[in-house]
């Protein structure tokens, strides 16, 4: 990193307000050009969430070694540290500000897509550091963010302590690397899995050939359930560690065999990992009108990922009030929601002239893959003989995959959704918002090894079959740093999630009762006024 200029915090803030994308990496200031922001394989939001912040841990966790060697070219100098730590700024996107093309199309300008709502109290559920996004006021005439918008709200976290966590995490990462845990166990890990996929596929075809359609649908659903684990690994570049090869393989599995867009999943999942459990930014907990795992959602929050307001309207009130009873029913049909998100993503990308690296060929191959999926799966349904049997085949095959969706939400729905601000370190945030699902090693394959979500969130590129060994090191790290490593049994985890859903549902019911009482009092008051007039 050749640049020698030393940047102060105020100088960085001025440049950010001028529209530059500046992030801190190992004491250096990186200027990310708009051209790379658009071409970033992890999506633009993955970068925007770290403008003005130290992204050292996240960058090293998510990028291959050969990619890290390219980063120095973006350095514009070093930053001035306070007690060996960078005092973070609030990324504009987290206050509702984004850059959009100007009217002449030759430059970009600030655009307010939502209004920041800073917490007026300081509780565990709504800390003083929290910034949520809501629909902006049409009368808001601010043309650009000001200096105050970049200043973090008060936080209970110590920057020094968080820096210590970060430094300890770097040492932990080195231990993981030195232990050889990034080496993919092709034969011992994926060998048995490939055999399992083939067996389930053959059993489904055999049953279908003998007109045992429901049995066939069960085995097909089980194959999809198992295949998604490998698609997940490939999306994280955790198999061959080569972006092009992993993307090709993941398209084959996810699109051609599973009917889902791996491109959508990677973009969605990257953001989930970066801003885990943040109500305004993590798409994996934004499920209105069906679920709300925090009372924050009752304020009709804006989603920076979906670019829309998640309205807590009459429809949402009905569902959220009984969400703890509908949870498993909705999970049975969760795969259909994945279809909707996949196809919406690919449709939008068809009109995106600034696709990420490899986006053009990958997009085209995905479209071909989805067409192929519905060709072969459509023939399967048509061959069932009647629409009733075809419908049953469709529903059963998709419902069989539901335990996967339940498992994934167990690791997050019961954890904290509070925003502790940009001061919070990467390891602190992941341990606070993520938990493991405890299971016997003999049945770990049912969960695909992803029941070890804490370790996976700390080291997303780590081959899934090495998570067990790595988790022992992570537990030592957590104990040494005074951090909580959360883990629940499968049934206890379900109870925790249902408890969270029931808690929010009861708040909705209480709000309804209060509203009814207030409405009744207002009517009585009005009638009394008419009586005396």
């Amino acid at each position: 990193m050749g640049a020698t200029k030393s940047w102060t915090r105020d100088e960085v803030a001025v440049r950010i307000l001028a529209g530059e994308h500046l992030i801190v990496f190992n004491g250096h200031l990186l200027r990310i050009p708009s051209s790379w922001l658009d071409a970033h394989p992890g999506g633009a939001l993955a970068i925007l969430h770290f403008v003005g912040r130290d992204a050292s841990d996240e960058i090293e966790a998510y990028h291959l070694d050969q990619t890290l060697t390219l980063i120095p070219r973006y350095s514009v100098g070093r930053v001035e540290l306070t007690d060996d730590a960078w005092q973070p700024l609030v990324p504009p996107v987290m206050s509702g500000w984004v850059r959009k093309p100007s009217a002449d199309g030759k430059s970009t300008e600030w655009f307010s897509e939502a209004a920041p709502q800073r917490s007026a109290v300081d509780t565990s559920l709504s800390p003083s550091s929290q910034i949520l996004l809501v629909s902006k006021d049409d009368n808001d005439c601010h043309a650009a963010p000001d200096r105050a918008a970049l200043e973090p709200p008060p936080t209970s976290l110590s920057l020094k302590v968080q820096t210590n966590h970060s430094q300890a995490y770097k040492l932990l990462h080195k231990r993981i690397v030195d232990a050889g845990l990034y080496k993919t166990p092709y034969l011992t890990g994926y060998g048995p899995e490939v055999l399992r996929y083939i067996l389930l596929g053959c059993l489904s075809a055999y049953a279908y050939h003998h007109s045992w359609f429901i049995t066939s649908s069960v085995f097909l659903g089980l194959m999809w359930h198992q295949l998604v684990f490998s698609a997940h690994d490939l999306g994280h570049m955790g198999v061959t560690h080569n972006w092009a090869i992993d993307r090709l393989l993941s398209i084959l599995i996810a699109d051609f065999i599973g009917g889902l867009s791996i491109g959508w999943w990677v973009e969605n999942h990257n953001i989930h990992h970066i801003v885990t459990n943040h109500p305004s930014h993590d798409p994996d907990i934004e499920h209105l009108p069906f679920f709300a795992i925090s009372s924050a959602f009752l304020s009709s929050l804006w989603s920076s990922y979906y670019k829309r307001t998640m309205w807590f309207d009459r429809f949402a009130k009905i569902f959220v009030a009984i969400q703890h009873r509908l949870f498993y029913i909705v999970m049975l049909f969760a795969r259909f929601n994945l279809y909707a998100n996949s196809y919406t993503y690919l449709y939008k990308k068809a009109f995106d002239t600034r696709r990420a690296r490899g986006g053009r060929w990958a997009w085209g191959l995905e479209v071909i893959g989805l067409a192929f999926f519905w060709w072969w799966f459509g023939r399967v349904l048509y061959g069932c003989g009647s629409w009733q049997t075809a419908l049953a085949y469709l529903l059963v095959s998709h419902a069989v995959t539901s335990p996967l969706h339940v498992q994934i939400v167990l690791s997050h729905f019961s954890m904290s959704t509070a925003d502790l601000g940009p001061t919070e370190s990467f390891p602190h945030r992941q341990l606070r918002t993520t938990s493991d699902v405890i299971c016997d090693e003999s049945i770990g394959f049912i969960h695909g090894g992803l029941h070890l979500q804490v370790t996976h969130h700390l080291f997303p590129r780590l081959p899934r079959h090495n998570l067990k060994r790595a988790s022992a090191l992570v537990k030592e790290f957590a104990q040494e740093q005074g951090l909580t490593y959360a883990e629940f049994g499968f049934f206890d985890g379900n109870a925790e999630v249902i408890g969270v859903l029931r808690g929010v549902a009861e708040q909705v019911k209480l709000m309804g009762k209060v509203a009814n009482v207030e409405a009744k009092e207002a009517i009585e008051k009005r009638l009394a006024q008419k009586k005396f007039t």
Side-chain angles (χ1 to χ4, degrees):
M1 297 188 181
T4 58
K5 176 177 171 56
S6 180
W7 293 80
T8 66
R9 188 169 182 269
D10 285 337
E11 287 176 325
V12 172
V14 168
R15 291 300 188 94
I16 291 175
L17 293 175
E20 295 187 24
H21 307 111
L22 304 175
I23 63 177
V24 177
F25 175 68
N26 290 337
H28 287 260
L29 188 66
L30 307 181
R31 179 189 289 130
I32 310 300
S34 297
S35 59
W36 179 241
L37 193 72
D38 298 330
H40 185 232
L45 271 177
I47 294 176
L48 294 179
H49 278 299
F50 288 99
V51 170
R53 298 174 57 187
D54 189 331
S56 302
D57 293 339
E58 287 85 353
I59 289 176
E60 291 182 346
Y62 289 94
H63 295 84
L64 303 173
D65 290 341
Q66 54 265 42
T67 303
L68 295 178
T69 62
L70 304 177
I71 290 179
R73 67 176 65 177
Y74 298 114
S75 175
V76 292
R78 299 191 66 89
V79 291
E80 293 184 2
L81 305 178
T82 301
D83 296 328
D84 296 323
W86 169 253
Q87 291 185 319
L89 298 165
V90 175
V93 71
M94 301 194 86
S95 291
W97 290 98
V98 295
R99 302 286 295 181
K100 285 196 171 183
S102 58
D104 59 12
K106 297 179 180 179
S107 59
T108 60
E109 59 188 12
W110 285 112
F111 174 77
S112 174
E113 60 181 10
Q117 186 180 73
R118 300 198 176 201
S119 180
V121 297
D122 187 17
T123 66
S124 59
L125 297 178
S126 182
S128 59
S129 55
Q130 182 158 277
I131 301 176
L132 299 177
L133 298 180
V134 295
S135 295
K136 64 179 180 179
D137 188 343
D138 291 336
N139 296 321
D140 188 353
C141 59
H142 292 287
D146 56 20
R147 182 68 177 78
L150 301 184
E151 205 59 48
T155 178
S156 60
L157 297 178
S158 164
L159 180 58
K160 181 177 181 180
V161 171
Q162 295 303 308
T163 301
N164 290 339
H165 291 330
S166 178
Q167 292 172 346
Y169 169 77
K170 288 179 172 59
L171 295 176
L172 171 64
H173 199 171
K174 186 176 185 305
R175 292 182 66 189
I176 296 288
V177 172
D178 292 344
L181 297 182
Y182 274 100
K183 296 179 180 179
T184 303
Y186 291 107
L187 291 179
T188 59
Y190 287 102
E193 290 202 0
V194 171
L195 293 177
R196 191 180 303 126
Y197 304 153
I198 294 174
L199 175 62
L200 292 171
C202 289
L203 288 173
S204 178
Y206 180 82
Y208 188 90
H209 179 72
H210 288 81
S211 298
W212 305 334
F213 296 119
I214 300 303
T215 301
S216 173
S217 67
V218 169
F219 283 121
L220 178 60
L222 290 174
M223 184 184 74
W224 282 339
H225 173 273
Q226 289 291 302
L227 274 172
V228 77
F229 297 128
S230 289
H232 169 274
D233 301 346
L234 291 161
H236 275 296
M237 294 185 294
V239 181
T240 70
H241 309 295
N242 178 288
W243 186 88
I245 296 176
D246 278 3
R247 182 53 60 93
L248 278 170
L249 292 174
S250 63
I251 290 175
L252 173 63
I253 293 175
D255 295 75
F256 282 77
I257 301 178
L260 302 174
S261 166
I262 193 65
W264 159 75
W265 180 85
V266 168
E267 183 176 274
N268 177 285
H269 199 63
N270 280 338
I271 300 303
H272 160 66
H273 269 266
I274 287 170
V275 286
T276 310
N277 269 22
H278 193 299
S280 284
H281 304 294
D282 181 2
D284 276 15
I285 65 168
E286 297 175 342
H287 298 301
L288 280 180
F290 298 106
F291 296 133
I293 66 170
S294 167
S295 58
F297 287 104
L298 309 187
S299 300
S300 295
L301 300 179
W302 168 271
S303 168
S304 64
Y305 179 82
Y306 290 112
K307 302 300 181 186
R308 61 177 173 81
T309 299
M310 300 174 287
W311 295 109
F312 184 63
D313 53 19
R314 183 176 300 180
F315 190 70
K317 289 177 182 177
I318 294 173
F319 276 91
V320 174
I322 55 175
Q323 61 180 353
H324 52 297
R325 295 185 181 135
L326 293 177
F327 176 65
Y328 295 108
I329 297 175
V330 174
M331 287 295 103
L332 286 174
F333 303 101
R335 192 174 181 90
F336 292 100
N337 183 55
L338 303 186
Y339 289 142
N341 284 322
S342 292
Y343 306 153
T344 300
Y345 167 85
L346 290 175
Y347 173 77
K348 291 180 178 178
K349 283 296 178 182
F351 303 96
D352 186 359
T353 59
R354 301 172 298 171
R355 293 182 198 150
R357 186 191 71 178
R360 296 187 184 281
W361 68 260
W363 180 87
L365 191 57
E366 284 203 75
V367 172
I368 294 172
L370 296 180
F372 177 80
F373 168 80
W374 286 110
W375 172 78
W376 74 258
F377 189 55
R379 287 175 61 89
V380 167
L381 296 178
Y382 183 78
C384 289
S386 69
W387 71 265
Q388 295 94 334
T389 303
L391 179 62
Y393 195 105
L394 173 71
L395 295 178
V396 171
S397 62
H398 285 59
V400 168
T401 67
S402 62
L404 169 65
H405 307 296
V406 173
Q407 169 203 326
I408 297 301
V409 303
L410 291 187
S411 293
H412 299 292
F413 272 26
S414 61
M415 302 301 289
S416 172
T417 59
D419 172 20
L420 298 189
T423 299
E424 186 174 26
S425 67
F426 173 64
H428 188 280
R429 183 171 61 254
Q430 299 306 333
L431 284 160
R432 179 176 61 85
T433 58
T434 311
S435 68
D436 280 359
V437 176
I438 303 171
C439 76
D440 188 87
E441 192 169 351
S442 62
I443 60 171
F445 73 92
I446 296 177
H447 298 283
L450 290 180
H451 56 292
L452 300 172
Q453 278 286 299
V454 175
T455 302
H456 169 60
H457 265 252
L458 287 171
F459 304 101
R461 292 184 296 105
L462 203 66
R464 177 166 40 91
H465 306 91
N466 296 335
L467 290 176
K468 181 67 175 178
R469 290 172 57 194
S471 67
L473 300 178
V474 173
K475 287 181 178 179
E476 291 180 12
F477 161 81
Q479 186 174 14
E480 292 169 357
Q481 295 298 307
L483 300 173
T484 300
Y485 188 111
E487 51 187 354
F488 303 98
F490 186 78
F491 296 105
D492 289 339
N494 274 270
E496 289 283 339
V497 169
I498 295 299
V500 168
L501 296 175
R502 182 184 291 110
V504 177
E506 290 174 350
Q507 291 184 56
V508 174
K509 292 177 182 177
L510 181 60
M511 288 170 58
K513 291 179 180 179
V514 171
N516 288 337
V517 170
E518 290 177 345
K520 184 177 179 181
E521 290 177 347
I523 292 174
E524 291 176 347
K525 185 177 181 180
R526 184 174 299 177
L527 291 174
Q529 290 174 342
K530 287 183 177 180
K531 182 178 180 180
F532 288 105
T533 56

